[in-house]
Amino acid sequence: MNFELITSKENPLFKEIRLLQAAGAKGQKARLAGGHALLEGIHLIQTWVGDPALKTILTSDLGLKNAEIAEAVYAHIEICPDTKVYQLDGVLWSLLSDLVNAPHIGGLLDLPKSCLVSPQSIATLEGDVIILDRVQDAGNVGSILRSAAAAGFTKVLALSGCAHLWSSKVLRAGMGAHRLLDLYEGWSTQQVLSAVTAPMLATTADAECDLYQLKNDLLHPVAWVMGSEGQGVSEEILAQAKSVSIPIDSRVESLNVSTAAAICLFETVRVRRS
């Protein structure tokens, strides 16, 4: 099967890919404007094989010689025959900095509706929620999303100031968790306080109540709040939340936020199963 070949840096699709790779607000603007996120690497493509949201696949002649890549490409287009597959020549592929050392496979994914909906249009967000309050490291955000999916917490809400949930780095760290989650981002603190219906539990180092005293609280829907790496949870949210600490050795100052999130989520799972 022959796929369309892209050989020019001026190709509109190639230009879109470069914009989607951009860091920070520039990349986020491109994702929202085009309604696409960039999947990079064989694992993420395999995660979305058979999903109509994966409408464009990018590879190369070298990529198609890889049996695992070829299998994923042909399996997807068999289920979703309208998928467009493009082959980039080797020179162009080498210009995609995030893909240089990875297998030659990527794709454009249609962003889900939850990502594109304005926070003002959501009156309430019910049930269990994870709130990310200015968590800035993409690796931490992706790791939290992965733990959320594993623990069955499907709603994740990111305040403005967080690493963008659909950025390439967060997608890679999430290892496919995005497909299992309803993700909302760009919310203000006030929008969170107005829409989230579950009681908020905010992780702080100096809270008198520790995680293992929360049995009754965890039996019902909760909104776990994870604060930024440097500043923690904002004072405005803390004023409306119950502060919770994770007992650790006194010689250790704190836990990484993604580690703290995993502990809190799986303690919630444990309590509900007991």
Side-chain angles (χ1 to χ4, degrees):
M1 184 179 294
N2 294 322
F3 303 124
E4 185 174 336
L5 183 64
I6 297 178
T7 60
S8 171
K9 291 187 292 184
E10 300 305 312
N11 180 278
L13 179 59
F14 185 78
K15 287 184 174 182
E16 180 180 3
I17 297 167
R18 295 300 298 270
L19 286 173
L20 293 173
Q21 287 183 311
K26 185 177 180 180
Q28 178 70 346
K29 182 179 179 180
R31 287 186 286 276
L32 293 178
H36 298 138
L38 178 64
L39 303 181
E40 300 179 76
I42 184 60
H43 178 77
L44 288 180
I45 293 297
Q46 289 171 331
T47 297
W48 270 275
V49 163
D51 191 324
L54 178 57
K55 292 182 177 177
T56 302
I57 292 178
L58 314 164
T59 186
S60 69
D61 181 61
L62 180 62
L64 289 172
K65 291 178 181 177
N66 179 302
E68 190 176 25
I69 288 175
E71 181 181 359
V73 170
Y74 289 112
H76 183 70
I77 61 179
E78 182 177 355
I79 301 170
C80 305
D82 293 334
T83 302
K84 295 181 179 179
V85 181
Y86 297 89
Q87 283 183 243
L88 278 65
D89 70 16
V91 174
L92 282 188
W93 198 277
S94 68
L95 296 176
L96 300 178
S97 58
D98 284 351
L99 298 173
V100 169
N101 297 315
H104 288 199
I105 185 70
L108 295 186
L109 183 76
D110 285 353
L111 289 174
K113 291 181 180 179
S114 66
C115 179
L116 301 172
V117 169
S118 168
Q120 291 89 340
S121 66
I122 301 176
T124 59
L125 206 59
E126 299 180 346
D128 289 316
V129 182
I130 301 172
I131 299 169
L132 305 183
D133 181 8
R134 298 160 299 138
V135 181
Q136 297 175 340
D137 182 83
N140 284 337
V141 172
S143 180
I144 292 171
L145 298 186
R146 193 174 178 185
S147 294
F153 276 67
T154 59
K155 297 187 186 73
V156 180
L157 196 163
L159 276 73
S160 296
C162 282
H164 298 303
L165 301 185
W166 291 92
S167 69
S168 294
K169 289 182 179 179
V170 173
L171 276 160
R172 287 198 298 271
M175 293 290 288
H178 289 68
R179 191 178 181 186
L180 303 176
L181 302 171
D182 294 322
L183 302 174
Y184 306 84
E185 62 182 329
W187 287 44
S188 69
T189 300
Q190 190 54 52
Q191 287 165 340
V192 169
L193 296 176
S194 298
V196 173
T197 62
M200 290 191 295
L201 302 175
T203 52
T204 60
D206 55 357
E208 293 184 4
C209 176
D210 77 48
L211 176 63
Y212 305 114
Q213 299 171 325
L214 285 181
K215 182 173 182 179
N216 291 334
D217 301 77
L218 300 181
L219 290 173
H220 307 286
V222 295
W224 277 110
V225 186
M226 302 295 154
S228 72
E229 292 86 351
Q231 301 174 1
V233 178
S234 70
E235 292 296 330
E236 194 172 356
I237 289 181
L238 280 176
Q240 303 298 321
K242 182 173 185 176
S243 295
V244 179
S245 63
I246 299 173
I248 60 175
D249 191 301
S250 60
R251 294 169 294 180
V252 177
E253 181 181 354
S254 63
L255 290 172
N256 175 277
V257 64
S258 64
T259 301
I263 292 170
C264 292
L265 295 178
F266 281 96
E267 173 62 8
T268 306
V269 172
R270 187 197 67 80
V271 167
R272 292 177 182 178
R273 287 186 174 182
S274 62

